[in-house]
Amino acid sequence: MAHRQPEPVRLESADLAERLAELLVADGFVPSPPSVIDRVWLDTFDWRLWRAGLVLEQDHDELSSWLRVRHLGAWGPGESVAELELDEPPLFADDLPSGPLGKMVEDLAGVRTFREVGEAEIIETSYVRRNADEKIVVRVLLEQGVGPEPVAILLPVRGYEKAARRAMNLLVAVAGPEGPAPDPLVRIAHAAGREPGDRGAAFRPELGSVDTAREALASLLELLVHELVVNRDGTVEGVDIEFLHDFRIAVRRLRTILESSRRLLDRDGWREVTRELRWLGRMTSPVRDLDVQILEFDRLRTRIPKARHTHLDALFDLLVERREEVHAELGEALRSDRFAQLLVTVGQLDARDEVWKRRATGSPSRHAQREIRRAYHRLVDRGRAITEDSPDSALHDLRKDAKRLRYLLEAYASLFPPKLVKMCIGEMKGLQKHLGRYQDACYQIIDLGSRGRELVAAGRVGTDELLTIGGLVEDLDRRRHQLRTQFPRRFAAFDTDANHKAYERLVAKP
Amino acid sequence: MRVVSTYSIKGGVGKTAAAVNLAYMAAHRRGRTLLWDLDPQGAASFYYRIKSKVKGGGEGLLSGRRPLESAIKGTDFPFLDLVPSDFSYRHLDLLLDRRKKRTRSLRRLLKPLRGQYDTVIIDSPPGLTLVAENLFDTIDTLVVPLIPTTLSVRTLDQLENFLDPGPSLLMFFSMVDGRKKLHHDVMDDIRGSRRGVLDTVIPAATEVELMGVNRAPVGEFAPGSGAAQAYASLWSEIASR
């Protein structure tokens, strides 16, 4: 049914809407009594549905309440992709009953919560024209309440295109050259001073117009401080764990960019900021680690026989309890003066001339190339030095090196040919994925061991439960060992001549 | 996309009324629905106030000169479209017989519509014909109205023997007169001896006859009537199977 695209026409004023209504009636259209609908638009914080070209909205009228997912730009009656009767808007996609709507939304939203992106009381008056058989051949919907201007929407009926063309002429004659009206979601967002999709796009800073390394660094800091600010409330709230994830990535990017700019900044100023960022990173780690444990718990259960799944219930409860505790501590930290001061300090760096060294006036590209070269060589040297006998910490350090390089590439990407950057980042992904899995397995082995001891000490588990946790640890250790065995091959896939040449080209002097 | 067809070997059993009202109920619950009026009498098209005319007729569709999509008309109801009947469908058996893979033609016509609709309901002509064979190869669920008489039992036997195994078969009692003992006896007998008999009973109601006068499904002009509620309940049962 996706063929019947409505033709929306923006009307400049309520007077024009009245004029159109008169003309429609004179042309044989019959109006229905106006209906009032309370509509709420929902999306994730980072507009995941919007980015996929979909709109999620809930309508309440006197009789019922429906949740609807539709394509952007197709908002006439019957135009939705899927609908279901639901009293309250869902918080998570998981809350939706199984069915096409739930599946479609869950695939996109994942674990993110839905937030209201707008609401409106809409007054709709439908005008219909019928043929000799009293069959409806075209509809015009006059809609008021979404944004400041009324909108007339032509709703063609499939198979009756002539009637639609005639009605369109009428609409255009009244509306003048105003042109088509955007989707209601766009209008409601604009009315609230927002732009759909204004949050959550991939981190792609545009540094093409900056002249100095200082300007580049200042732009990046500004962007990342903004990331901290917009993700802080969601992180403190703690329901949608992706806020913390985004917050944490912003902290890491900030640390990477600042640590790689040591040459540009006065030592005291630089130390103060990096020390505080390390503190912030340390505050977020325990919560994120537990979030991942809880999120992955079902998958963890699948590693043991089904009959023993309940043996892990006490462990799960403990993880949730601990998560609440560390999350409360994080909340306090993010509401503290120390955090507020950190934002001010980072935000004001650009304005403090005394902290910038003279070389900060150099070329941003040269600065970026230098730091990328250093990060790349360190990664390669450390990777090559890893042997069978190297401790786990060597791989963890390598993972951090890989992240640093990735963050630098992404931060300064706009200064280099996009294809070359893409090639360099592409080669990183496989290595990072492997090191991430290894780190997760190592972390889980240590964490499950200590949680098991904690549960025993508190008398919360018996022998069966403890044996199950022990079995899980053994299973994870086998996985850890397997990943460790595969590491040389994985690193060799990164450490190739072709990849080396790509980096050489990226950091070559012009 | 689930394809359902109302079907009966016998005519005059409430097959078209069921197709028209089930399609309305499916769309009323906001499922994207297409009603395909395959019966040359065109009653389903008439009830929805749509002319029984398809450009190019049955030959145009089967030859591929005109896709089924081009014949679709919007009804007066959101979520519900209709492919009207055409008088040429009276020769559909002959047209199908001329084609390669003659029992697969309807399936091929519907294939491009996958993704556009959640449910397709086909109002099929009566009889064990080549059209019926095509239907059985195309649909997921066959919905058979039964007037509770001994003759219905006989035609049901014929159909079950013919299908074996065929699509999923659901039956419901239609045009039931609650005052007749015979109706109750036959319903009890069939319910006791066969699987796939739905609980909902469609009464012999004036509202169903008034569909022709109002040219609309019962749910539209008599939403509180017993007949409208029965069709709503019938669709719930079919949708849940």
Side-chain angles (χ1 to χ4, degrees):
Chain A
M1 302 186 91
H3 46 277
R4 291 181 305 189
Q5 290 297 318
E7 306 265 0
V9 173
R10 192 183 345 210
L11 301 166
E12 269 182 339
S13 65
D15 288 349
L16 277 184
E18 270 179 39
R19 172 83 186 119
L20 177 63
E22 285 168 12
L23 280 175
L24 287 170
V25 172
D27 199 46
F29 280 79
V30 177
S32 62
S35 56
V36 180
I37 299 161
D38 289 319
R39 182 167 298 163
V40 174
W41 287 269
L42 303 161
D43 207 326
T44 62
F45 169 74
D46 50 1
W47 297 91
R48 292 185 182 188
L49 301 182
W50 165 270
R51 289 179 199 288
L54 294 175
V55 177
L56 183 67
E57 55 196 14
Q58 181 140 27
D59 280 0
H60 298 267
D61 60 21
E62 284 175 5
L63 300 171
S64 57
S65 177
W66 288 84
L67 184 71
R68 164 171 59 221
V69 65
R70 60 173 176 81
H71 288 291
L72 202 61
W75 71 89
E79 286 299 314
S80 56
V81 180
E83 302 205 7
L84 63 92
E85 203 161 9
L86 199 71
D87 289 339
E88 292 297 328
L91 183 58
F92 288 101
D94 242 6
D95 298 339
L96 294 167
S98 61
L101 190 149
K103 179 160 187 346
M104 183 182 293
V105 169
E106 195 173 350
D107 286 349
L108 292 167
V111 295
R112 297 229 73 153
T113 49
F114 292 117
R115 313 202 139 223
E116 257 187 49
V117 292
E119 62 173 327
E121 184 185 83
I122 302 167
I123 301 169
E124 279 184 358
T125 311
S126 175
Y127 291 78
V128 300
R129 172 191 263 286
R130 296 175 184 269
N131 64 12
D133 284 323
E134 289 293 300
K135 159 90 182 75
I136 296 173
V137 290
V138 64
R139 286 185 179 84
V140 173
L141 203 62
L142 269 180
E143 177 199 87
Q144 284 172 305
V146 185
E149 303 153 338
V151 167
I153 307 159
L154 175 69
L155 297 167
V157 176
R158 190 168 186 174
Y160 300 90
E161 283 72 22
K162 209 195 289 183
R165 280 197 295 274
R166 180 173 156 169
M168 192 64 199
N169 291 340
L170 208 63
L171 260 66
V172 170
V174 175
E178 267 302 297
D183 192 279
L185 178 56
V186 179
R187 282 181 274 140
I188 204 76
H190 284 175
R194 292 191 65 185
E195 192 64 47
D198 56 3
R199 289 288 315 121
F203 182 68
R204 289 196 192 95
E206 186 44 64
L207 303 174
S209 60
V210 301
D211 295 324
T212 65
R214 175 176 169 174
E215 283 175 57
L217 189 59
S219 296
L220 293 170
L221 296 184
E222 189 188 340
L223 259 175
L224 289 165
V225 166
H226 179 68
E227 280 291 307
L228 294 184
V229 170
V230 296
N231 283 294
R232 177 179 55 184
D233 289 349
T235 303
V236 171
E237 192 181 73
V239 179
D240 181 340
I241 62 172
E242 294 296 298
F243 283 104
L244 171 59
H245 179 57
D246 293 352
F247 185 92
R248 207 166 135 74
I249 287 180
V251 174
R252 284 178 167 170
R253 286 190 200 276
L254 267 173
R255 284 182 63 186
T256 299
I257 288 158
L258 275 167
E259 282 168 6
S260 67
S261 304
R262 186 191 297 231
R263 296 172 61 253
L264 308 181
L265 288 159
D266 155 75
R267 198 170 72 170
D268 290 342
W270 180 87
R271 269 192 182 163
E272 182 193 346
V273 181
T274 49
R275 185 190 63 232
E276 289 303 281
L277 283 171
R278 266 201 304 280
W279 161 75
L280 192 56
R282 275 201 308 276
M283 292 307 297
T284 61
S285 292
V287 190
R288 180 61 191 169
D289 288 344
L290 283 161
D291 277 346
V292 173
Q293 287 266 54
I294 291 166
L295 195 68
E296 293 288 311
F297 204 80
D298 283 342
R299 203 187 313 209
L300 202 67
R301 276 191 212 267
T302 61
R303 302 181 79 89
I304 58 170
K306 205 169 183 180
R308 287 196 227 153
H309 280 191
T310 54
H311 291 178
L312 295 178
D313 288 351
L315 174 63
F316 182 78
D317 292 345
L318 180 69
L319 294 176
V320 173
E321 285 165 24
R322 292 290 171 267
R323 196 262 178 196
E324 276 177 24
E325 288 165 14
V326 291
H327 178 257
E329 286 168 20
L330 175 62
E332 266 178 44
L334 298 188
R335 283 188 290 258
S336 68
D337 292 343
R338 188 173 180 180
F339 176 68
Q341 184 56 46
L342 169 61
L343 294 182
V344 172
T345 307
V346 178
Q348 287 181 345
L349 265 185
D350 185 36
R352 291 171 59 198
D353 287 336
E354 74 277 11
V355 300
W356 294 93
K357 291 183 181 169
R358 275 189 60 194
R359 59 167 72 102
T361 54
S363 146
S365 307
R366 292 304 306 149
H367 169 66
Q369 283 178 312
R370 182 179 187 279
E371 296 306 324
I372 289 170
R373 185 190 302 115
R374 277 163 55 92
Y376 175 68
H377 286 304
R378 183 163 59 184
L379 177 68
V380 172
D381 293 345
R382 283 200 180 177
R384 285 177 184 168
I386 290 176
T387 65
E388 276 179 23
D389 302 325
S390 301
D392 285 345
S393 58
L395 272 82
H396 302 332
D397 289 342
L398 191 72
R399 180 170 176 247
K400 287 182 197 163
D401 291 336
K403 273 190 176 171
R404 279 192 203 107
L405 176 57
R406 173 90 174 264
Y407 291 152
L408 285 173
L409 286 166
E410 287 172 347
Y412 294 108
S414 59
L415 300 173
F416 303 105
K419 271 189 184 171
L420 196 54
V421 175
K422 200 176 167 188
M423 199 187 298
C424 292
I425 290 177
E427 292 298 336
M428 292 280 300
K429 284 182 181 170
L431 178 65
Q432 278 191 288
K433 203 171 173 181
H434 189 90
L435 291 169
R437 285 176 178 165
Y438 185 73
Q439 156 80 4
D440 287 349
C442 291
Y443 170 78
Q444 280 183 314
I445 289 164
I446 295 168
D447 191 64
L448 287 179
S450 70
R451 303 282 174 209
R453 284 189 290 278
E454 198 180 340
L455 286 167
V456 171
R460 291 173 65 171
V461 289
T463 316
D464 286 348
E465 286 83 358
L466 199 61
L467 284 171
T468 302
I469 295 172
L472 205 52
V473 170
E474 276 178 24
D475 185 53
L476 284 164
D477 194 48
R478 277 193 292 276
R479 176 165 171 71
R480 185 198 65 81
H481 180 72
Q482 186 188 26
L483 287 163
R484 181 68 192 253
T485 313
Q486 291 165 349
F487 171 74
R489 204 171 59 216
R490 182 56 259 178
F491 185 75
F494 170 76
D495 188 18
T496 59
D497 283 348
N499 201 28
H500 191 63
K501 278 179 188 159
Y503 276 93
E504 284 300 317
R505 277 173 60 204
L506 191 81
V507 300
K509 287 182 183 168
Chain B
M1 185 173 85
R2 185 181 180 193
V3 186
V4 175
S5 176
T6 55
Y7 171 79
S8 174
I9 293 178
K10 242 167 105 355
V13 296
K15 174 179 57 61
T16 297
V20 165
N21 286 296
L22 290 175
Y24 175 81
M25 290 301 170
H28 194 64
R29 290 180 195 172
R30 309 198 182 193
R32 298 167 302 165
T33 308
L34 178 69
L35 173 61
W36 188 358
D37 186 358
L38 209 52
D39 189 335
Q41 291 180 47
S45 308
F46 175 81
Y47 286 140
Y48 279 106
R49 301 172 184 269
I50 292 172
K51 284 190 175 63
S52 291
K53 175 74 189 160
V54 171
K55 273 188 188 167
E59 172 68 32
L61 292 178
L62 290 176
S63 66
R65 282 201 309 274
R66 290 185 182 275
L68 188 61
E69 204 167 357
S70 69
I72 296 173
K73 300 272 188 186
T75 69
D76 287 2
F77 310 104
F79 297 101
L80 180 55
D81 288 344
L82 180 140
V83 177
S85 171
D86 190 86
F87 197 51
S88 67
Y89 289 176
R90 69 193 189 282
H91 301 308
L92 209 52
D93 272 331
L94 295 172
L95 296 172
L96 287 167
D97 195 36
R98 284 187 217 143
R99 311 216 63 80
K100 283 181 191 168
K101 296 182 183 170
R102 54 192 206 136
T103 61
R104 300 228 150 181
S105 296
L106 295 186
R107 177 200 283 259
R108 184 175 49 78
L109 291 181
L110 278 174
K111 204 173 169 186
L113 300 182
R114 283 192 187 281
Q116 284 193 44
Y117 295 95
D118 301 310
T119 307
V120 175
I121 294 178
I122 302 176
D123 181 27
S124 64
L128 275 175
T129 60
L130 195 51
V131 176
E133 278 189 69
N134 260 270
L135 265 186
F136 302 154
D137 185 66
T138 304
I139 62 171
D140 303 297
T141 309
L142 197 63
V143 178
V144 178
L146 297 172
I147 298 178
T149 62
T150 44
L151 197 57
S152 293
V153 179
R154 191 169 163 268
T155 52
L156 192 55
D157 286 337
Q158 286 176 332
L159 177 62
E160 282 184 330
N161 289 336
F162 187 82
L163 283 177
D164 190 33
S168 141
L169 177 63
L170 297 175
M171 294 157 268
F172 71 93
F173 292 109
S174 171
M175 301 167 79
V176 173
D177 186 342
R179 294 164 304 179
K180 289 184 180 170
K181 184 174 178 301
L182 175 70
H183 279 198
H184 287 288
D185 290 345
V186 174
M187 287 197 294
D188 289 346
D189 183 43
I190 292 179
R191 284 209 168 103
S193 59
R194 291 174 199 265
R195 293 165 65 185
V197 183
L198 300 170
D199 294 334
T200 307
V201 165
I202 302 297
T206 312
E207 287 85 4
V208 180
E209 290 170 17
L210 284 174
M211 282 169 61
V213 178
N214 290 293
R215 296 188 70 181
V218 181
E220 186 59 17
F221 65 86
S225 66
Q229 285 168 19
Y231 282 120
S233 161
L234 186 64
W235 176 245
S236 295
E237 277 199 81
I238 295 168
S240 68
R241 297 276 185 133

